[in-house]
Structures are given as structure tokens and as C-alpha cells.
Amino acid sequence: MLKSYKLYNYPLDTLINTSTSSSRVLFITTINAHSYNMTRKDPEFAEALKASDVLLPDGISIVWAKRFLSTGGGKQRTGSSKRQAEHRH
């Protein structure tokens, strides 16, 4: 028996079985730094990625970018830099 993997907290085989039981094809794509740059030049390619049922990060730069953007664009500061800013005011 094949090992089951989780994808966004769901077993991957559940996603596949759900797709096949409804006669609907599951559209899974990946995004890496190059494909992101291509979306900036090719709107049709960007729309194809946006239409994905599942868009997987392919490469650490995409993972880092997602983390950076989800934390407010790097606006978080460490405790020591917060205290330094408070002392300046």
C-alpha cells in the first residue's frame, strides 16, 4: 500500500477520490520563482494558476515570500527593537 500524504491538512488521496467520484478533474499546479515572474508578463498564465484547485509552492523562495507577506511584509520587529523604538519616543 502506498503511503498517504497530507496536503493542506487533507489526505491527498481524499482530494483525488473526491475529484474522481464527481467526474471532475482536480487541477493541481505548482508555482516557483520563475513561474511567478512569468505571471507578471503573461496574464493568461497568471489566470491559469489562479484557476487551480490546488497551487503548491515549488521552492523555498515561494515559501519565504508567503511567510513574509503573511506577517505584514516584514513589519514585525523583535522584542528588543520594539523596546528601542519605545525609548526614542
Side-chain angles (χ1 to χ4, degrees):
M1 181 165 186
L2 294 175
K3 182 178 178 181
S4 178
Y5 293 94
K6 285 194 170 192
L7 179 65
Y8 300 111
N9 295 325
Y10 295 100
L12 186 57
D13 55 345
T14 302
L15 290 171
I16 294 168
N17 291 336
T18 301
S19 173
T20 56
S21 66
S22 66
S23 300
R24 182 177 173 272
V25 174
L26 191 62
F27 185 34
I28 301 174
T29 58
T30 61
I31 186 165
N32 57 29
H34 175 71
S35 56
Y36 172 77
N37 288 329
M38 292 303 299
T39 66
R40 311 288 284 167
K41 299 174 186 174
D42 185 347
E44 191 174 336
F45 181 67
E47 287 304 314
L49 290 179
K50 288 178 188 176
S52 301
D53 294 307
V54 178
L55 181 59
L56 299 172
D58 177 20
I60 195 66
S61 62
I62 295 297
V63 173
W64 287 343
K66 190 258 182 212
R67 286 181 187 163
F68 179 79
L69 294 171
S70 66
T71 60
K75 293 180 184 175
Q76 287 185 334
R77 293 185 270 171
T78 63
S80 61
S81 61
K82 285 181 184 176
R83 283 190 293 279
Q84 290 173 354
E86 289 169 1
H87 288 305
R88 283 186 231 148
H89 296 289

